[in-house]
Amino acid sequence: MTVTSLSRRAVLTALAASTILSGHRNAWAQDLPRIVVTTDPTCGCCTGWVDHLRQAGFTAEVIETSEINRVKVRLGVPQDLASCHSAEIDGYVIEGHVPADAIKRLLVEKPQAKGLAVPGMPAGSPGMEVEGVEDDTYAVVLFGPAGQSTFARYRGPQVL
């Protein structure tokens, strides 16, 4: 065999593998429930967070309303956990810039809770990436009738 035939074989094998893997990635995305995100139409960072969710395989529906605070009250988001957008997925509430992998973990573990929140808008959280600004360390908070607890900690996009 020549080097050329090995290279072609390697390329064809790699192409076949990537096709198979991308098919699996699409199948995994289809297994994720749809997330409905409610935002204020004047908020720009919410779009970045929705893009983050879509890149992670979620199908996201966006509803814009100037009555976002009424949505938070209806969903039972505690005031101290409020952020700029609220979402609903599979019976859970997602408040703020919660990383997609934390949402996936929530959906797998299915804890007895109302949902997850990242209060405020920490720098470096999904949708809040700002070049030249140091990433904040922040908690993803699990909240519900039993109270609040730390579900995960991040520094920017990295789980701590």
Side-chain angles (χ1 to χ4, degrees), residues 36-59:
V36 178
V37 182
T38 305
T39 70
D40 185 293
T42 63
C43 185
C45 64
C46 300
T47 303
W49 184 68
V50 170
D51 290 344
H52 165 76
L53 294 177
R54 288 177 175 151
Q55 289 170 3
F58 286 95
T59 299

Side-chain angles (χ1 to χ4, degrees), residues 29 32-35 50 52-60 89 99-105 107:
L32 292 171
R34 180 176 59 112
I35 187 165
V50 170
H52 165 76
L53 294 177
R54 288 177 175 151
Q55 289 170 3
F58 286 95
T59 299
I89 185 167
D101 62 327
I103 298 170
K104 289 177 181 179
R105 180 178 151 211
L107 296 173

Side-chain angles (χ1 to χ4, degrees), residues 18-41:
S18 70
T19 301
I20 290 168
L21 289 175
S22 68
H24 286 297
R25 195 175 312 124
N26 290 339
W28 293 327
Q30 292 171 354
D31 291 340
L32 292 171
R34 180 176 59 112
I35 187 165
V36 178
V37 182
T38 305
T39 70
D40 185 293

Side-chain angles (χ1 to χ4, degrees), residues 35 49 85-89 92-96 98 103 106 115-117:
I35 187 165
W49 184 68
H85 52 264
S86 302
E88 298 170 82
I89 185 167
Y92 288 106
V93 175
I94 307 297
E95 179 67 15
V98 177
I103 298 170
L106 175 79
L116 295 177

